[in-house]
């Protein structure tokens, strides 16, 4: 008689995070997880006792930790401890700004994030790519699995639907658009947009995705790019400033945008200097900040940071707020779809457990008939367990990944009948 399969534990999804609405910019800077530190952060998180799968979503306006777990209280405690260690701040500094959700509320939060409903710029497009990139990064580092993969898949689908089926993404819907508009106002241009920079010397510091977006919006202005990697800057097809000439390039510019992942300010008051005869507008999109706040105190210099961009974006998006109820209705539908898929996966989990228990019973019985000495038994046990795991891997994955749909129901029924499973 095969042993009864072990009870399958209930898996929860949790999220804990900080964003531009809940904490000051300096706290958000400390919580940021740049790409080069992602492996370290994921390694720390997955090494904690209550966290199974983990995805880190860190952008210039938020750092959120998504995790699957069996005990959500313990999981949230692990994430709190991680954030305190990562930011170097005591728990009381984060307590008021840290939001924590689990299960359906956590899932709906990610759906809202992906749809751009939780962004500084309502309906922004960058966040959808950032959600995908966060999931890809977690998968590449081995910290994600089927639970969070399914949640992200539904979130991305929700984000696409909201942008396609509503007018939430109409108009200025990105940080780069908002940054250009703020800079245009600061330069006392007649109207926001690329045309406001005609005849002005603009410098973009940083050749990443944000830098590339800024260059595209500023064309046909006189735009130059400075970046530590000259090769990467050259891909933007505008004049490249050698990194060693950054200070001189700033001095020759009317508008400077800084959008790098540098861990410390690139421009300070000594580098920029007073600009009484040639006013300068500096827009800092970096997290951590790329421009020392003291730069904004210099004569002739106007400095904007993400907080200023947020204020401008909120004033500009009043017309799109009317689309929020329609967007929320779409998210309600997508949340129900995710909940249905989770319910189906819960049905699949005991079938997979029973399948593996049945195969293990057969394997153990056959090995037991061989009359092996202890050393031989250990070697054969290892080999046969590995063989069974490989044979069951594909059907287990197929059942888990198709859970929630007609194919999953057909596969589940077939496995139960073919293996004579008692579930």
């Amino acid at each position: 008689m095969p042993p009864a399969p072990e009870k399958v534990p209930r898996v929860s999804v949790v999220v804990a995070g900080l964003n531009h609405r809940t904490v000051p910019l300096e706290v958000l800077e400390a919580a940021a997880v740049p790409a080069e530190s992602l492996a370290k952060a994921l390694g720390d998180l997955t090494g904690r006792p209550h966290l199974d799968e983990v995805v880190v979503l860190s952008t210039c306006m938020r750092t959120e930790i998504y995790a699957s777990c069996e005990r959500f209280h313990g999981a949230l405690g692990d994430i709190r401890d991680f954030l305190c260690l990562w930011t170097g701040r005591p728990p009381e500094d984060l307590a008021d700004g840290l939001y924590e959700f689990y299960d359906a509320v956590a899932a709906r939060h990610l759906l809202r994030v992906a749809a751009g409903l939780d962004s500084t710029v309502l309906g922004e497009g960058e966040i959808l790519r950032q959600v995908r990139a966060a999931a890809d990064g977690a998968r590449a580092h081995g910290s994600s699995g089927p639970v969070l993969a399914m949640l992200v898949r539904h979130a991305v689908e929700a984000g696409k639907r909201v942008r396609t089926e509503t007018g939430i993404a109409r108009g200025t819907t990105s940080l780069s658009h908002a940054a250009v508009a703020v800079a245009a106002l600061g330069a006392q241009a007649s109207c926001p947009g690329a045309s406001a920079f005609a005849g002005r010397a603009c410098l973009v510091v940083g050749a990443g995705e944000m830098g590339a977006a800024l260059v595209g919006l500023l064309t046909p202005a006189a735009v130059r790019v400075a970046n530590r990697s000259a090769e990467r800057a050259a891909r933007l097809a505008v004049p490249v400033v050698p990194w060693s000439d950054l200070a001189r390039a700033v001095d020759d510019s009317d508008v400077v945008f800084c959008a790098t992942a540098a861990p410390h300010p690139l421009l300070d008051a000594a580098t920029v200097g007073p600009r009484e005869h040639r006013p300068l507008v500096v827009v800092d999109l970096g997290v951590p900040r790329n421009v020392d706040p003291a730069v904004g105190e210099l004569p002739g210099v106007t400095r904007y940071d993400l907080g200023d961009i947020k204020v401008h974006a909120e004033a500009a998006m009043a017309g799109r707020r009317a689309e929020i109820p329609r967007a929320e209705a779409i998210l309600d539908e997508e949340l129900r779809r995710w909940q249905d898929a989770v319910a189906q996966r819960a049905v699949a989990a005991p079938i997979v457990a029973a399948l593996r228990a049945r195969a293990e019973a057969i394997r153990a019985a056959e090995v037991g008939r061989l009359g092996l000495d202890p050393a031989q038994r250990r070697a054969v046990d290892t080999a046969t367990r590995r063989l069974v795991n490989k044979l069951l891997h594909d059907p287990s994955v197929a059942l888990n990944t198709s859970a929630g749909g007609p194919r999953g129901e057909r596969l589940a029924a077939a496995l139960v009948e073919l293996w004579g499973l008692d579930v």
Side-chain angles (χ1 to χ4, degrees):
M1 180 100 178
E6 295 181 6
K7 183 179 179 181
V8 178
R10 181 181 179 277
V11 176
S12 293
V13 172
V14 300
V15 60
L18 308 161
N19 69 26
H20 60 284
R21 294 190 183 92
T22 67
V23 295
L25 184 57
E26 58 267 21
V27 177
L28 203 56
E29 289 176 335
V33 181
E36 62 270 20
S37 300
L38 182 60
K40 179 182 178 183
L42 290 173
D44 183 315
L45 287 161
T46 53
R48 293 175 181 266
H50 299 101
L51 303 178
D52 297 329
E53 301 176 24
V54 177
V55 170
V56 174
L57 175 61
S58 185
T59 74
C60 58
M61 287 299 187
R62 73 181 66 246
T63 291
E64 296 178 342
I65 314 296
Y66 293 83
S68 66
C69 60
E70 295 178 19
R71 295 177 176 83
F72 65 84
H73 286 301
L76 291 173
D78 281 348
I79 297 174
R80 287 185 215 115
D81 291 344
F82 165 80
L83 288 171
C84 288
L85 180 65
W86 191 261
T87 61
R89 294 173 182 265
E92 55 268 23
D93 281 10
L94 304 182
D96 291 341
L98 186 66
Y99 46 90
E100 302 173 339
F101 310 122
Y102 66 92
D103 287 344
V105 181
R108 200 176 202 289
H109 176 74
L110 181 57
L111 266 60
R112 295 189 85 252
V113 168
L117 299 188
D118 196 57
S119 296
T120 301
V121 181
L122 183 66
E124 67 153 316
E126 287 115 333
I127 189 63
L128 190 59
R129 180 204 61 78
Q130 290 164 338
V131 168
R132 284 198 198 98
D136 290 344
R139 184 168 58 251
H141 289 95
S143 72
S144 185
V147 174
L148 294 185
M150 184 171 71
L151 175 58
V152 171
R153 189 164 61 248
H154 280 268
V156 169
E157 179 62 27
K160 289 179 179 178
R161 283 194 61 196
V162 165
R163 288 171 176 82
T164 300
E165 299 175 26
T166 76
I168 205 87
R170 193 179 299 126
T172 300
T173 57
S174 70
L175 279 176
S176 52
H177 276 92
V180 169
V182 165
L185 293 174
Q188 299 181 338
S190 58
C191 63
S195 61
F197 296 93
R200 298 181 185 271
C202 297
L203 174 67
V204 175
V205 183
E209 184 170 354
M210 181 68 73
L214 290 166
V215 168
L217 292 170
L218 293 167
T219 303
V223 186
R224 295 173 296 164
V225 174
N227 193 66
R228 289 188 186 276
S229 168
E231 180 182 356
R232 185 169 187 178
R235 296 173 189 168
L236 301 184
V238 296
V240 176
V241 173
W243 191 250
S244 59
D245 289 344
L246 178 60
R248 185 183 306 168
V250 171
D251 191 53
D252 292 338
S253 299
D254 300 300
V255 182
V256 175
F257 297 87
C258 289
T260 79
H264 50 73
L266 299 174
L267 301 181
D268 57 22
T271 303
V272 176
R275 297 287 295 257
E276 293 97 334
H277 304 298
R278 186 178 184 177
L280 175 67
V281 174
V282 180
V283 183
D284 184 1
L285 294 103
V287 176
R289 281 174 282 201
N290 289 176
V291 182
D292 190 313
V295 168
E297 304 298 322
L298 293 169
V301 179
T302 303
R303 174 187 172 274
Y304 297 107
D305 62 17
L306 288 168
D308 302 305
I309 295 171
K310 172 185 174 183
V311 171
H312 175 83
E314 287 177 346
M317 65 189 176
R320 296 198 302 277
R321 287 200 175 98
E323 298 294 305
I324 291 178
R326 292 177 60 202
E328 296 282 12
I330 291 172
L331 298 189
D332 288 340
E333 293 176 17
E334 292 297 327
L335 180 64
R336 285 192 292 271
R337 287 185 59 224
W338 174 77
Q339 290 174 312
D340 289 344
V342 169
Q344 288 296 326
R345 186 177 289 277
V347 172
I351 295 175
V352 172
L355 173 64
R356 291 185 173 274
R358 176 82 172 118
E360 170 59 20
I362 295 171
R363 185 204 68 79
E366 292 302 315
V367 172
R369 293 192 181 98
L370 298 177
L372 304 173
D373 62 42
Q376 292 172 327
R377 177 65 181 260
R378 284 193 296 272
V380 172
D381 267 339
T382 299
T384 53
R385 282 198 180 97
R386 187 179 297 128
L387 177 62
V388 167
N389 285 335
K390 287 183 177 180
L391 289 172
L392 297 185
H393 174 76
D394 285 347
S396 299
V397 169
L399 184 58
N400 277 322
T401 56
S402 62
R407 180 171 180 264
E409 293 177 4
R410 293 195 300 272
L411 289 175
L415 285 172
V416 169
E417 181 175 355
L418 292 172
W419 282 76
L421 304 179
D422 184 15
V423 290

